[in-house]
Amino acid sequence: MKTIIIPKEHEIDVVEKEQPILKSGEILVEIKYVGFCGSDLNTFLGKNPMVKLPVIPGHEIGAVIADIAPGGPDIYRKGASCTINPYTNCGHCPSCRNGRPNACQFNETFGVQRDGAMCKYVAVPWSKVIVDDELTPKDFALVEPVSVGFHAVDRGEVSDLDRVLVIGCGMIGIGAIIRSVLRGAEVIAADIDDTKLSLAKELGVKHTINTKTEDIHQKLQSITQNQGPDVIIEAVGSPYTYQTAINEAAFTSRIVCIGYAKSDIEFETKLFVSKELDIRGSRNAMPEDFRAVIKYLKQGICPKDKLISGIYQPEEARQALEYWAENPGNVFRILIQF
């Protein structure tokens, strides 16, 4: 079967591999679309500290069920559209014992710590397969990245009483914006790209800030009557955005960090104490986040086509990643079609 592999940094190949053999308790899924995410791009560029090379990338999956091992639950049938929960959890570490398997200490995500789904077929435990007849495989390829943003909003305990600043309007930030709007919050979006900010407006954002052309501090002070946002969701992963989140947060606000900064960051730590900030990490997503995204997509109000920046064939994978690396402001999500 056709398979995309990243053998080492700055290299990506299409190779032939054997189709997996279905085992007891598994479902064989036929991949239709897989999204390239930021971690895949960083793996290709040699900037992903968590990856184990060589690796088959891909964990944003739109597929159909090809075969089911005997004994699988009745909810699964051949030909059904589906996605896959791409995370593992051990069941024994502190995260798992505390009911947060998304942050399992020993998690292995598809395409990062273990081979992913950029191939024609994948066999996985039936418990990892999520089906819904109302979504297409292309729809399903959007579910995982949007669910990461949904989870960040849950970590921030966002309500209709909150002003929420989302820093970064890429795919994960867009997920955080959608969920915050659905919860009735007043949402402020910050980014350096007007196209992304325009889409944020379409999704229900009340205020936008182009941090390249506007003074984010002055704009936030004006919007919030000199108080600052109640919740800040950092969805970029840079020293500037992390420092901005701390500096602009309202007293006793919640800061949720999704992005991985690639270098050490200096903070004015007295703000942690004087503002009594709640600073929280947000990793992956919970099953309920997947369900919430699926419910949202089924409403038919999501501008899905605007979230897909391009669809490429496997042989064009290098071209797709190089384009993204050279044009980061123009890309929401790139799909590879099998």
Side-chain angles (χ1 to χ4, degrees), residues 29 31 37 39-40 55-61 84-88 107-118 122-125 128:
V29 300
I31 303 298
C37 83
S39 64
D40 298 320
V55 71
I56 299 168
H59 55 257
E60 301 173 358
I61 300 159
I84 298 171
N85 184 324
Y87 322 124
T88 64
N107 167 65
E108 293 185 338
T109 298
F110 263 177
V112 185
Q113 295 90 0
R114 59 180 174 140
D115 282 338
M118 284 203 175
V122 175
V124 294
K128 294 294 184 180

Side-chain angles (χ1 to χ4, degrees), residues 142-293:
L142 301 176
V143 168
E144 193 275 343
V146 175
S147 74
V148 175
F150 271 44
H151 182 65
V153 171
D154 198 50
R155 290 283 293 140
E157 300 180 71
V158 171
S159 78
D160 58 341
L161 300 178
D162 291 317
R163 283 196 183 99
V164 179
L165 169 65
V166 178
I167 305 176
C169 297
M171 197 66 172
I172 307 302
I174 288 294
I177 285 168
I178 291 169
R179 188 58 160 164
S180 297
V181 170
L182 289 174
R183 289 193 175 189
E186 179 183 330
V187 185
I188 308 160
D191 200 277
I192 60 173
D193 184 80
D194 283 332
T195 300
K196 290 183 176 179
L197 291 172
S198 177
L199 178 59
K201 271 279 195 182
E202 187 175 335
L203 291 167
V205 162
K206 189 169 183 180
H207 311 279
T208 61
I209 305 172
N210 186 321
T211 56
K212 214 174 197 179
T213 60
E214 299 176 279
D215 186 310
I216 188 169
H217 176 71
Q218 290 183 3
K219 193 82 178 281
L220 284 173
Q221 291 294 290
S222 175
I223 292 168
T224 66
Q225 292 81 51
N226 300 316
Q227 293 182 347
D230 305 296
V231 181
I232 297 181
I233 298 175
E234 194 289 325
V236 177
S238 77
Y240 168 75
T241 53
Y242 266 84
Q243 290 165 340
T244 297
I246 300 298
N247 293 338
E248 300 301 334
F251 277 63
T252 69
S253 66
R254 285 100 67 199
I255 297 173
V256 182
C257 306
I258 312 174
Y260 287 100
K262 310 303 185 294
S263 60
D264 293 339
I265 306 172
E266 291 186 1
F267 291 109
E268 192 174 351
T269 54
K270 73 175 185 180
L271 296 178
F272 296 8
V273 178
S274 63
K275 291 185 178 184
E276 201 175 56
L277 298 175
D278 288 347
I279 302 173
R280 308 173 183 183
S282 182
R283 184 181 180 191
N284 300 331
M286 293 283 281
E288 53 263 36
D289 300 309
F290 281 80
R291 293 197 299 271
V293 174

Side-chain angles (χ1 to χ4, degrees), residues 76 81-85 126-132 140 143 287 290-291 294:
Y76 301 112
S81 294
C82 65
T83 191
I84 298 171
N85 184 324
W126 62 261
S127 60
K128 294 294 184 180
V129 179
I130 303 168
V131 297
D132 195 290
F140 266 123
V143 168
F290 281 80
R291 293 197 299 271
I294 290 169

